[in-house]
PDB file of all heavy atoms in Angstrom:
ATOM      1  N   GLU H  81     107.629 116.663 103.834  1.00 98.00           N
ATOM      2  CA  GLU H  81     107.141 115.525 104.631  1.00 98.00           C
ATOM      3  C   GLU H  81     107.775 115.711 105.992  1.00 98.00           C
ATOM      4  O   GLU H  81     109.045 115.585 106.187  1.00 98.00           O
ATOM      5  CB  GLU H  81     107.692 114.212 103.902  1.00 98.00           C
ATOM      6  CG  GLU H  81     107.418 112.945 104.674  1.00 98.00           C
ATOM      7  CD  GLU H  81     108.116 111.799 103.922  1.00 98.00           C
ATOM      8  OE1 GLU H  81     108.549 111.862 102.849  1.00 98.00           O
ATOM      9  OE2 GLU H  81     108.126 110.744 104.666  1.00 98.00           O
ATOM     10  N   LEU H  82     106.904 116.007 107.060  1.00 98.00           N
ATOM     11  CA  LEU H  82     107.423 116.452 108.268  1.00 98.00           C
ATOM     12  C   LEU H  82     107.618 115.194 109.236  1.00 98.00           C
ATOM     13  O   LEU H  82     106.682 114.453 109.532  1.00 98.00           O
ATOM     14  CB  LEU H  82     106.391 117.400 108.865  1.00 98.00           C
ATOM     15  CG  LEU H  82     106.224 118.767 108.261  1.00 98.00           C
ATOM     16  CD1 LEU H  82     105.148 119.533 108.889  1.00 98.00           C
ATOM     17  CD2 LEU H  82     107.547 119.483 108.388  1.00 98.00           C
ATOM     18  N   TRP H  83     108.916 115.168 109.803  1.00 98.00           N
ATOM     19  CA  TRP H  83     109.126 114.313 110.923  1.00 98.00           C
ATOM     20  C   TRP H  83     108.388 114.775 112.118  1.00 98.00           C
ATOM     21  O   TRP H  83     108.321 115.917 112.368  1.00 98.00           O
ATOM     22  CB  TRP H  83     110.646 114.317 111.102  1.00 98.00           C
ATOM     23  CG  TRP H  83     111.178 113.596 112.390  1.00 98.00           C
ATOM     24  CD1 TRP H  83     110.848 112.397 112.698  1.00 98.00           C
ATOM     25  CD2 TRP H  83     111.984 114.201 113.458  1.00 98.00           C
ATOM     26  NE1 TRP H  83     111.451 112.040 113.872  1.00 98.00           N
ATOM     27  CE2 TRP H  83     112.158 113.124 114.391  1.00 98.00           C
ATOM     28  CE3 TRP H  83     112.540 115.357 113.572  1.00 98.00           C
ATOM     29  CZ2 TRP H  83     112.937 113.348 115.518  1.00 98.00           C
ATOM     30  CZ3 TRP H  83     113.282 115.699 114.812  1.00 98.00           C
ATOM     31  CH2 TRP H  83     113.448 114.629 115.714  1.00 98.00           C
ATOM     32  N   MET H  84     107.817 113.834 112.885  1.00 97.00           N
ATOM     33  CA  MET H  84     107.002 114.170 114.033  1.00 97.00           C
ATOM     34  C   MET H  84     107.716 114.947 115.041  1.00 97.00           C
ATOM     35  O   MET H  84     107.077 115.851 115.792  1.00 97.00           O
ATOM     36  CB  MET H  84     106.335 112.917 114.645  1.00 97.00           C
ATOM     37  CG  MET H  84     105.408 113.145 115.682  1.00 97.00           C
ATOM     38  SD  MET H  84     103.909 114.194 115.096  1.00 97.00           S
ATOM     39  CE  MET H  84     102.946 114.270 116.620  1.00 97.00           C
ATOM     40  N   GLY H  85     109.043 114.663 115.159  1.00 97.00           N
ATOM     41  CA  GLY H  85     109.822 115.431 116.152  1.00 97.00           C
ATOM     42  C   GLY H  85     109.916 116.921 115.804  1.00 97.00           C
ATOM     43  O   GLY H  85     109.903 117.722 116.753  1.00 97.00           O
ATOM     44  N   HIS H  86     109.911 117.280 114.595  1.00 98.00           N
ATOM     45  CA  HIS H  86     109.850 118.727 114.258  1.00 98.00           C
ATOM     46  C   HIS H  86     108.492 119.343 114.633  1.00 98.00           C
ATOM     47  O   HIS H  86     108.483 120.518 115.043  1.00 98.00           O
ATOM     48  CB  HIS H  86     110.123 118.879 112.709  1.00 98.00           C
ATOM     49  CG  HIS H  86     111.547 118.708 112.254  1.00 98.00           C
ATOM     50  ND1 HIS H  86     111.902 117.877 111.296  1.00 98.00           N
ATOM     51  CD2 HIS H  86     112.706 119.243 112.771  1.00 98.00           C
ATOM     52  CE1 HIS H  86     113.242 117.947 111.151  1.00 98.00           C
ATOM     53  NE2 HIS H  86     113.713 118.766 112.090  1.00 98.00           N
ATOM     54  N   ILE H  87     107.464 118.546 114.389  1.00 98.00           N
ATOM     55  CA  ILE H  87     106.069 119.053 114.728  1.00 98.00           C
ATOM     56  C   ILE H  87     106.065 119.284 116.189  1.00 98.00           C
ATOM     57  O   ILE H  87     105.518 120.365 116.726  1.00 98.00           O
ATOM     58  CB  ILE H  87     105.034 118.158 114.267  1.00 98.00           C
ATOM     59  CG1 ILE H  87     105.077 118.061 112.695  1.00 98.00           C
ATOM     60  CG2 ILE H  87     103.619 118.596 114.658  1.00 98.00           C
ATOM     61  CD1 ILE H  87     104.137 117.030 112.132  1.00 98.00           C
ATOM     62  N   GLU H  88     106.419 118.291 117.055  1.00 97.00           N
ATOM     63  CA  GLU H  88     106.379 118.389 118.458  1.00 97.00           C
ATOM     64  C   GLU H  88     107.244 119.508 118.959  1.00 97.00           C
ATOM     65  O   GLU H  88     106.839 120.254 119.952  1.00 97.00           O
ATOM     66  CB  GLU H  88     106.792 117.072 119.109  1.00 97.00           C
ATOM     67  CG  GLU H  88     105.743 115.977 118.853  1.00 97.00           C
ATOM     68  CD  GLU H  88     106.227 114.579 119.362  1.00 97.00           C
ATOM     69  OE1 GLU H  88     107.491 114.396 119.505  1.00 97.00           O
ATOM     70  OE2 GLU H  88     105.347 113.744 119.648  1.00 97.00           O
ATOM     71  N   ARG H  89     108.414 119.825 118.416  1.00 97.00           N
ATOM     72  CA  ARG H  89     109.224 120.892 118.828  1.00 97.00           C
ATOM     73  C   ARG H  89     108.588 122.126 118.531  1.00 97.00           C
ATOM     74  O   ARG H  89     108.658 123.086 119.342  1.00 97.00           O
ATOM     75  CB  ARG H  89     110.694 120.656 118.132  1.00 97.00           C
ATOM     76  CG  ARG H  89     111.753 121.595 118.662  1.00 97.00           C
ATOM     77  CD  ARG H  89     113.006 121.387 117.951  1.00 97.00           C
ATOM     78  NE  ARG H  89     113.351 120.006 117.799  1.00 97.00           N
ATOM     79  CZ  ARG H  89     114.225 119.548 116.881  1.00 97.00           C
ATOM     80  NH1 ARG H  89     114.749 120.283 116.053  1.00 97.00           N
ATOM     81  NH2 ARG H  89     114.476 118.183 116.902  1.00 97.00           N
ATOM     82  N   TYR H  90     108.022 122.215 117.421  1.00 97.00           N
ATOM     83  CA  TYR H  90     107.210 123.520 117.094  1.00 97.00           C
ATOM     84  C   TYR H  90     106.222 123.832 118.080  1.00 97.00           C
ATOM     85  O   TYR H  90     106.017 124.896 118.505  1.00 97.00           O
ATOM     86  CB  TYR H  90     106.638 123.388 115.641  1.00 97.00           C
ATOM     87  CG  TYR H  90     105.994 124.665 115.105  1.00 97.00           C
ATOM     88  CD1 TYR H  90     106.716 125.617 114.348  1.00 97.00           C
ATOM     89  CD2 TYR H  90     104.680 124.909 115.478  1.00 97.00           C
ATOM     90  CE1 TYR H  90     106.148 126.701 114.037  1.00 97.00           C
ATOM     91  CE2 TYR H  90     104.096 126.177 115.044  1.00 97.00           C
ATOM     92  CZ  TYR H  90     104.879 127.043 114.340  1.00 97.00           C
ATOM     93  OH  TYR H  90     104.268 128.219 113.915  1.00 97.00           O
ATOM     94  N   GLN H  91     105.342 122.732 118.421  1.00 96.00           N
ATOM     95  CA  GLN H  91     104.324 122.900 119.424  1.00 96.00           C
ATOM     96  C   GLN H  91     104.924 123.380 120.727  1.00 96.00           C
ATOM     97  O   GLN H  91     104.274 124.271 121.404  1.00 96.00           O
ATOM     98  CB  GLN H  91     103.508 121.583 119.568  1.00 96.00           C
ATOM     99  CG  GLN H  91     102.729 121.269 118.351  1.00 96.00           C
ATOM    100  CD  GLN H  91     101.971 119.964 118.609  1.00 96.00           C
ATOM    101  OE1 GLN H  91     102.637 118.967 118.828  1.00 96.00           O
ATOM    102  NE2 GLN H  91     100.686 119.925 118.521  1.00 96.00           N
ATOM    103  N   GLU H  92     106.009 122.793 121.177  1.00 96.00           N
ATOM    104  CA  GLU H  92     106.548 123.179 122.493  1.00 96.00           C
ATOM    105  C   GLU H  92     107.090 124.673 122.470  1.00 96.00           C
ATOM    106  O   GLU H  92     106.931 125.346 123.493  1.00 96.00           O
ATOM    107  CB  GLU H  92     107.761 122.231 122.825  1.00 96.00           C
ATOM    108  CG  GLU H  92     107.308 120.754 123.130  1.00 96.00           C
ATOM    109  CD  GLU H  92     108.504 119.852 123.283  1.00 96.00           C
ATOM    110  OE1 GLU H  92     109.622 120.372 123.017  1.00 96.00           O
ATOM    111  OE2 GLU H  92     108.240 118.680 123.472  1.00 96.00           O
ATOM    112  N   GLU H  93     107.771 125.047 121.372  1.00 95.00           N
ATOM    113  CA  GLU H  93     108.353 126.378 121.297  1.00 95.00           C
ATOM    114  C   GLU H  93     107.455 127.490 120.807  1.00 95.00           C
ATOM    115  O   GLU H  93     107.665 128.641 121.094  1.00 95.00           O
ATOM    116  CB  GLU H  93     109.662 126.260 120.415  1.00 95.00           C
ATOM    117  CG  GLU H  93     110.677 125.277 121.015  1.00 95.00           C
ATOM    118  CD  GLU H  93     111.910 125.034 120.149  1.00 95.00           C
ATOM    119  OE1 GLU H  93     111.938 125.674 119.022  1.00 95.00           O
ATOM    120  OE2 GLU H  93     112.813 124.386 120.549  1.00 95.00           O
ATOM    121  N   ARG H  94     106.540 127.149 119.852  1.00 94.00           N
ATOM    122  CA  ARG H  94     105.797 128.240 119.189  1.00 94.00           C
ATOM    123  C   ARG H  94     104.225 128.062 119.304  1.00 94.00           C
ATOM    124  O   ARG H  94     103.505 128.960 118.900  1.00 94.00           O
ATOM    125  CB  ARG H  94     106.204 128.225 117.654  1.00 94.00           C
ATOM    126  CG  ARG H  94     107.621 128.740 117.476  1.00 94.00           C
ATOM    127  CD  ARG H  94     107.972 128.720 116.113  1.00 94.00           C
ATOM    128  NE  ARG H  94     109.406 129.228 115.915  1.00 94.00           N
ATOM    129  CZ  ARG H  94     110.489 128.472 116.092  1.00 94.00           C
ATOM    130  NH1 ARG H  94     110.368 127.279 116.458  1.00 94.00           N
ATOM    131  NH2 ARG H  94     111.645 129.043 115.885  1.00 94.00           N
ATOM    132  N   GLY H  95     103.784 126.988 119.863  1.00 94.00           N
ATOM    133  CA  GLY H  95     102.330 126.874 120.101  1.00 94.00           C
ATOM    134  C   GLY H  95     101.604 126.024 119.075  1.00 94.00           C
ATOM    135  O   GLY H  95     102.049 125.072 118.496  1.00 94.00           O
ATOM    136  N   PRO H  96     100.280 126.414 118.899  1.00 95.00           N
ATOM    137  CA  PRO H  96      99.356 125.633 118.153  1.00 95.00           C
ATOM    138  C   PRO H  96      99.726 125.450 116.662  1.00 95.00           C
ATOM    139  O   PRO H  96     100.445 126.260 116.088  1.00 95.00           O
ATOM    140  CB  PRO H  96      97.952 126.372 118.262  1.00 95.00           C
ATOM    141  CG  PRO H  96      98.398 127.722 118.526  1.00 95.00           C
ATOM    142  CD  PRO H  96      99.626 127.647 119.335  1.00 95.00           C
ATOM    143  N   LEU H  97      99.254 124.379 116.055  1.00 97.00           N
ATOM    144  CA  LEU H  97      99.632 123.922 114.760  1.00 97.00           C
ATOM    145  C   LEU H  97      98.964 124.763 113.678  1.00 97.00           C
ATOM    146  O   LEU H  97      99.442 124.696 112.492  1.00 97.00           O
ATOM    147  CB  LEU H  97      99.344 122.487 114.548  1.00 97.00           C
ATOM    148  CG  LEU H  97     100.284 121.528 115.306  1.00 97.00           C
ATOM    149  CD1 LEU H  97      99.835 120.097 114.963  1.00 97.00           C
ATOM    150  CD2 LEU H  97     101.733 121.720 115.079  1.00 97.00           C
ATOM    151  N   ASP H  98      97.936 125.529 113.936  1.00 96.00           N
ATOM    152  CA  ASP H  98      97.368 126.399 112.917  1.00 96.00           C
ATOM    153  C   ASP H  98      98.429 127.416 112.547  1.00 96.00           C
ATOM    154  O   ASP H  98      98.401 127.840 111.395  1.00 96.00           O
ATOM    155  CB  ASP H  98      96.073 127.056 113.421  1.00 96.00           C
ATOM    156  CG  ASP H  98      96.223 127.838 114.679  1.00 96.00           C
ATOM    157  OD1 ASP H  98      97.224 127.724 115.411  1.00 96.00           O
ATOM    158  OD2 ASP H  98      95.372 128.755 114.938  1.00 96.00           O
ATOM    159  N   LYS H  99      99.306 127.844 113.386  1.00 96.00           N
ATOM    160  CA  LYS H  99     100.421 128.784 113.071  1.00 96.00           C
ATOM    161  C   LYS H  99     101.323 128.132 112.015  1.00 96.00           C
ATOM    162  O   LYS H  99     101.819 128.842 111.144  1.00 96.00           O
ATOM    163  CB  LYS H  99     101.147 129.149 114.276  1.00 96.00           C
ATOM    164  CG  LYS H  99     100.368 130.110 115.259  1.00 96.00           C
ATOM    165  CD  LYS H  99     101.285 130.429 116.399  1.00 96.00           C
ATOM    166  CE  LYS H  99     100.461 131.322 117.503  1.00 96.00           C
ATOM    167  NZ  LYS H  99     101.361 131.666 118.554  1.00 96.00           N
ATOM    168  N   LEU H 100     101.655 126.836 112.288  1.00 97.00           N
ATOM    169  CA  LEU H 100     102.546 126.131 111.320  1.00 97.00           C
ATOM    170  C   LEU H 100     101.837 125.990 109.977  1.00 97.00           C
ATOM    171  O   LEU H 100     102.478 126.110 108.898  1.00 97.00           O
ATOM    172  CB  LEU H 100     102.965 124.805 111.886  1.00 97.00           C
ATOM    173  CG  LEU H 100     103.917 123.931 111.089  1.00 97.00           C
ATOM    174  CD1 LEU H 100     105.115 124.669 110.655  1.00 97.00           C
ATOM    175  CD2 LEU H 100     104.205 122.660 111.764  1.00 97.00           C
ATOM    176  N   ARG H 101     100.609 125.630 109.959  1.00 97.00           N
ATOM    177  CA  ARG H 101      99.843 125.444 108.778  1.00 97.00           C
ATOM    178  C   ARG H 101      99.763 126.691 107.968  1.00 97.00           C
ATOM    179  O   ARG H 101      99.945 126.713 106.792  1.00 97.00           O
ATOM    180  CB  ARG H 101      98.427 124.975 109.112  1.00 97.00           C
ATOM    181  CG  ARG H 101      97.659 124.554 107.832  1.00 97.00           C
ATOM    182  CD  ARG H 101      96.409 123.867 108.160  1.00 97.00           C
ATOM    183  NE  ARG H 101      95.711 123.395 106.994  1.00 97.00           N
ATOM    184  CZ  ARG H 101      94.608 122.627 106.903  1.00 97.00           C
ATOM    185  NH1 ARG H 101      94.095 122.312 108.084  1.00 97.00           N
ATOM    186  NH2 ARG H 101      93.986 122.319 105.802  1.00 97.00           N
TER     187      ARG H 101
END
Side-chain angles (χ1 to χ4, degrees):
E81 176 185 346
L82 289 175
W83 172 54
M84 187 59 180
H86 284 129
I87 297 171
E88 291 174 334
R89 195 181 306 161
Y90 185 92
Q91 289 177 305
E92 291 171 2
E93 297 175 358
R94 293 178 175 82
L97 291 180
D98 58 340
K99 294 181 180 179
L100 178 57
R101 187 169 183 174

